[in-house]
Amino acid sequence: MTETMRIAAINDAEAVTALTRMAYTKWVPVIGREPLPMKADHAAFIKEHRVDLLFCGEELAALVETIQRKEDILIENVAVDPRFQKRGYGRKMVAHAEQLAVQAGLDIVRLYTNSLFEVNLRLYASLGYEFERSEERNGGVAIHMLKRLA
């Protein structure tokens, strides 16, 4: 199946919201509430920042939402449709965000995830992300991680 990637447009907001909700549903029983990406205003994010979409054929399979800042790129959200999980698309989207940082002349990528999302923590560590700090947030603990690209 052909894979293509493009930047989201405002008319993709509904699909971005649906994919994010599907991807994060598995975490609701783990933390006892909807994770923040499930509640986010993805249309506003598309207008203000950058969302890259990965398609397999005609189907939206994965996405990464990033914020370019002065010193780094922040990965705000990585989501993979459950039908497409375990195929390396999460890794591919993180690598894409890292490439965006390189293209922007930045050498740091930051992200955060819930401390109870152990699979995510292992994945990010395997990709070279290091613990930066923890923060109480929205009734849980966010683990902030960073990767130096240079």
Side-chain angles (χ1 to χ4, degrees):
M1 190 169 296
T2 304
E3 292 178 11
T4 56
M5 194 174 298
R6 68 171 171 82
I7 298 173
I10 194 63
N11 62 339
D12 294 309
E14 190 174 308
V16 167
T17 299
L19 185 145
T20 300
R21 290 193 62 78
M22 286 187 295
Y24 281 83
T25 295
K26 68 182 178 186
W27 297 116
V28 172
V30 174
I31 63 174
R33 60 175 168 74
E34 288 187 343
L36 290 177
M38 292 178 80
K39 302 176 192 178
D41 181 345
H42 297 282
F45 197 93
I46 288 169
K47 287 179 187 175
E48 297 170 17
H49 302 292
R50 181 173 175 146
V51 180
D52 289 274
L53 307 175
L54 175 69
F55 291 86
C56 289
E58 299 294 316
E59 294 193 70
L60 178 58
L63 62 85
V64 62
E65 297 178 348
T66 55
I67 301 171
Q68 183 175 329
R69 305 185 296 191
K70 185 176 179 181
E71 298 172 0
D72 63 17
I73 281 195
L74 174 66
I75 297 175
E76 184 71 18
N77 179 26
V78 176
V80 179
D81 183 313
R83 297 172 298 157
F84 293 94
Q85 290 178 2
K86 306 294 185 202
R87 298 184 194 183
Y89 292 137
R91 290 175 181 271
K92 183 175 277 198
M93 300 315 286
V94 171
H96 179 71
E98 292 170 5
Q99 188 59 40
L100 293 175
V102 169
Q103 291 170 359
L106 300 168
D107 61 0
I108 297 175
V109 177
R110 285 188 163 86
L111 56 80
Y112 59 93
T113 191
N114 190 294
S115 65
L116 298 178
F117 297 178
E118 293 176 7
V119 171
N120 291 3
L121 292 168
R122 284 193 302 274
L123 169 65
Y124 298 138
S126 77
L127 296 175
Y129 286 80
E130 300 173 1
F131 175 86
E132 184 175 26
R133 64 186 170 88
S134 61
E135 167 191 31
E136 288 192 26
R137 188 174 195 182
N138 197 40
V141 176
I143 303 297
H144 293 259
M145 304 178 84
L146 70 84
K147 181 175 181 178
R148 296 184 193 283
L149 302 175

